[in-house]
Amino acid sequence: KQEVTQIPAALSVPEGENLVLNCSFTDSAIYNLQWFRQDPGKGLTSLLLIQSSQREQTSGRLNASLDKSSGRSTLYIAASQPGDSATYLCAVLGNGSDNNDMRFGAGTRLTVKP
Amino acid sequence: DAGITQSPRHKVTETGTPVTLRCHQTENHRYMYWYRQDPGHGLRLIHYSYGVKDTDKGEVSDGYSVSRSKTEDFLLTLESATSSQTSVYFCAISGYRDRAQKALESSTDTQYFGPGTRLTVL
C-alpha cells in the first residue's frame, strides 16, 4: 500500500524567502506525482504534475522535482509572497494496469508573513 | 477553471438517514472521483467512475455507494449516515487516460477538484 508523507506539517517564513516542501512515498512504481494547493475552505488547485519519466516541472516561481528511486519529491517556491500562504499537498498515482487510486499526503500548511 | 459543481455545499443530518451528494461537470471528462478529507488523513478515495455506469471502489468505500447515469453527473450516497462519515467531500474529474498512449495523453492526467461539500452527521 502506497504511503505518502509530507514534512514539515507546517511552515512559517518571512516574505521573500525561498523554501522547499518535501514529499516522500513508499512505492516507487508510480505513474505520476502531482502537487496541489488548497486554500482554507476551498477545493484543490493543481500546481504541477510530473510524469514518472520526468525529473522536474516548472511553472513560474514553482519548481517540482521527482526522484523515483529514493521515493521523494520536492516543491521549491522562489521569492515567497503572502499570497502563497495555503496548504500544499502532494499526491501519487500508482502504476498498476487499472489504478486510479491517487494517494495524498496530509499536506504542509505554509504561512508567508509580510 | 474546470467546470465542476457540488451540491449541497453544506449539509447537517442525523445518524441513520440517507444522504446523496451530487457532482456535476461541464467538461465532458471521462473520469470522476469522490474523496473525503479528514484532519490528519489527507484526502482518501471513496469511489471513482471511468465512464457512464462504470464505477469502482477506492480506499475507503465501505458505507458508500455511487452512480453515474450520464457523463456529467456522479452521485455519492450514504445509505445510512454515521457520525464517522462527518467529513468534507470532494469531487474531482480528469480526462481520458489511455496507458497505451500515455505520452500523448499525459496532459489529461491532471485532476480538477470541485469546491467540496461539508457534511455533518449528528
Side-chain angles (χ1 to χ4, degrees), chain A residues 84-98:
Chain A
D84 294 331
S85 297
T87 296
Y88 292 80
L89 299 102
C90 74
V92 173
L93 187 63
N95 202 25
S97 60
D98 188 28

Side-chain angles (χ1 to χ4, degrees), chain B residues 18 22 45 56 105 114:
Chain B
R22 179 182 184 235
L45 183 67
D56 206 348
E105 300 289 341

Side-chain angles (χ1 to χ4, degrees), chain A residues 31 34 38 51 96 99-100, chain B residues 37 97 99 102 106 109:
Chain A
Y31 186 69
Q34 201 161 349
Q38 185 176 28
Q51 299 293 345
N99 187 1
N100 280 278
Chain B
Q37 185 176 34
R97 181 175 69 243
R99 291 187 183 274
K102 59 185 177 182
S106 61
D109 285 342

Side-chain angles (χ1 to χ4, degrees), chain A residues 2-112:
Chain A
Q2 179 75 270
E3 300 284 345
V4 182
T5 304
Q6 291 187 245
I7 295 174
L11 180 64
S12 181
V13 301
E15 181 177 4
E17 191 164 297
N18 302 326
L19 59 100
V20 174
L21 306 181
N22 297 294
C23 173
S24 62
F25 47 94
T26 55
D27 186 348
S28 62
I30 68 169
Y31 186 69
N32 64 40
L33 183 145
Q34 201 161 349
W35 282 93
F36 293 88
R37 168 185 173 136
Q38 185 176 28
D39 294 288
K42 304 290 186 182
L44 281 68
T45 300
S46 179
L47 298 173
L48 291 165
L49 183 148
I50 310 177
Q51 299 293 345
S52 62
S53 59
Q54 298 173 325
R55 294 299 299 268
E56 65 177 341
Q57 284 286 336
T58 298
S59 176
R61 294 183 293 108
L62 306 179
N63 175 275
S65 68
L66 174 64
D67 184 343
K68 276 198 315 178
S69 61
S70 66
R72 296 186 179 185
S73 175
T74 61
L75 179 66
Y76 175 82
I77 302 177
S80 58
Q81 304 170 357
D84 294 331
S85 297
T87 296
Y88 292 80
L89 299 102
C90 74
V92 173
L93 187 63
N95 202 25
S97 60
D98 188 28
N99 187 1
N100 280 278
D101 192 349
M102 181 175 284
R103 296 299 172 103
F104 285 78
T108 294
R109 181 183 299 175
L110 173 65
T111 302
V112 181

